[in-house]
Amino acid sequence: MAYVPGVALLAALAVGCSAGSDGSATDADSKPGGPTVTTAPPGKYRTLPAPCRAVPGSTLKDLLPGVAELPRQQQEKALRGSPTITYDTDRKVGCSWKADAPDSTRNLSIDFERVVSYDPLVSDDDRARSLYVKKENAAELPGSSTPGTAPEKGAPTGTGGGEKGQEKETGEAGDGKGSADPSPSTSASTSSGTPGTPGGSDEDLRPRVVDGLGDAAFLDDLLTRAGSTAQHRTVSVVFRTSNVIVTVRYGEQPALVTKVPDSKELQDKAQALARKLAEVISE
């Protein structure tokens, strides 16, 4: 008679354990009202191009006229460029070139920076956008952009009140380092040394936001003189595409002290190179 109750007891215990397990699983998986954490998406680009191979040889010869006059071995060395020393090549790389011609010295440098946000709530793109805006504001562009250009949506443009302060230096590639020439030709709104006038033919050569290049872009143009040497003009084009910021600097210093580097030529070539680099990044 004791055998039957024992079986019944085991059956009851099995049912109870099963029900308890189901209940625990349901309690563990169900958290009504719990917060949902959304991690910001990563940037589009995970790698950077090799900077010293990013510019075709034919383009370099056009940008650096003196290279074509060099013997073959020296020409190859000049076209090879000098890599920028960086501590993290996954995040920032660059390359520079220099060539001397009888009438002038040309300098070119390019820099790629891949921005990574370590804040899970801030995307790589948003972090790159913030850094780009700081660069644009630091350039002190004229307060109003030229017709036909548009700033990146949601990103303010430079708020400089017209021409840049004449004390600003290039501080970049070339031999034009030092204090700026106090003459009017150091104005950022010059074309071949002639001050730009609102409504004039050279108005579009002033530092400005550039349309149709990456997600946002701007151009800076700075003319300086170091002591009694010839004037040095450096044109910089900076653009952002997703989480990568690219900077192109192209400069010229004529051999003659009286000659002023042509703004339009340098700007056109710097912009053309920047657009090629935008294609290289997207490949």
Side-chain angles (χ1 to χ4, degrees):
M1 295 297 293
Y3 175 74
V4 175
V7 173
L9 178 60
L10 290 174
L13 289 173
V15 172
C17 290
S18 176
S21 299
D22 291 343
S24 297
T26 302
D27 292 341
D29 295 338
S30 177
K31 295 181 180 180
T36 301
V37 179
T38 302
T39 302
K44 178 179 179 181
Y45 300 105
R46 304 296 183 89
T47 60
L48 292 172
C52 291
R53 296 199 298 269
V55 185
S58 57
T59 301
L60 286 173
K61 289 180 180 179
D62 178 55
L63 294 170
L64 308 169
V67 169
E69 308 300 325
L70 297 174
R72 181 176 178 180
Q73 289 186 344
Q74 294 183 28
Q75 184 177 140
E76 291 177 351
K77 181 179 179 180
L79 294 176
R80 197 177 303 132
S82 302
T84 302
I85 298 176
T86 61
Y87 297 99
D88 188 352
T89 54
D90 287 334
R91 294 283 303 279
K92 191 171 184 178
V93 294
C95 193
S96 61
W97 298 263
K98 179 180 178 180
D100 296 318
D103 58 342
S104 67
T105 297
R106 299 281 180 115
N107 303 88
L108 171 68
S109 70
I110 59 175
D111 292 290
F112 298 94
E113 181 178 2
R114 185 175 66 89
V115 180
V116 177
S117 172
Y118 294 101
D119 186 340
L121 301 181
V122 179
S123 69
D124 293 346
D125 279 21
D126 287 341
R127 176 62 178 159
R129 182 183 294 108
S130 176
L131 293 177
Y132 167 83
V133 170
K134 288 182 180 180
K135 290 177 180 289
E136 184 178 307
N137 288 338
E140 300 178 1
L141 304 182
S144 58
S145 60
T146 55
T149 63
E152 181 180 15
K153 185 177 181 181
T157 60
T159 56
E163 297 178 357
K164 295 186 178 133
Q166 294 179 355
E167 73 279 2
K168 184 176 179 182
E169 303 176 6
T170 54
E172 303 297 346
D175 299 325
K177 296 180 180 179
S179 59
D181 180 6
S183 67
S185 63
T186 58
S187 166
S189 59
T190 61
S191 172
S192 300
T194 304
T197 303
S201 60
D202 61 342
E203 183 177 4
D204 61 338
L205 296 180
R206 296 181 301 172
R208 61 196 179 277
V209 170
V210 176
D211 193 25
L213 175 58
D215 296 318
F218 71 88
L219 179 148
D220 197 9
D221 188 331
L222 186 62
L223 184 66
T224 60
R225 183 197 297 273
S228 61
T229 62
Q231 298 182 82
H232 184 279
R233 185 183 294 278
T234 300
V235 172
S236 302
V237 178
V238 181
F239 70 91
R240 181 186 77 84
T241 174
S242 187
N243 62 316
V244 172
I245 298 176
V246 181
T247 301
V248 174
R249 296 184 185 90
Y250 184 42
E252 178 186 10
Q253 181 170 315
L256 298 177
V257 177
T258 56
K259 185 177 180 181
V260 180
D262 183 56
S263 182
K264 179 173 173 51
E265 178 196 0
L266 297 180
Q267 288 193 22
D268 287 348
K269 290 185 176 182
Q271 287 190 78
L273 175 58
R275 296 183 189 282
K276 288 182 179 180
L277 295 179
E279 296 176 357
V280 170
I281 294 175
S282 300
E283 291 177 353

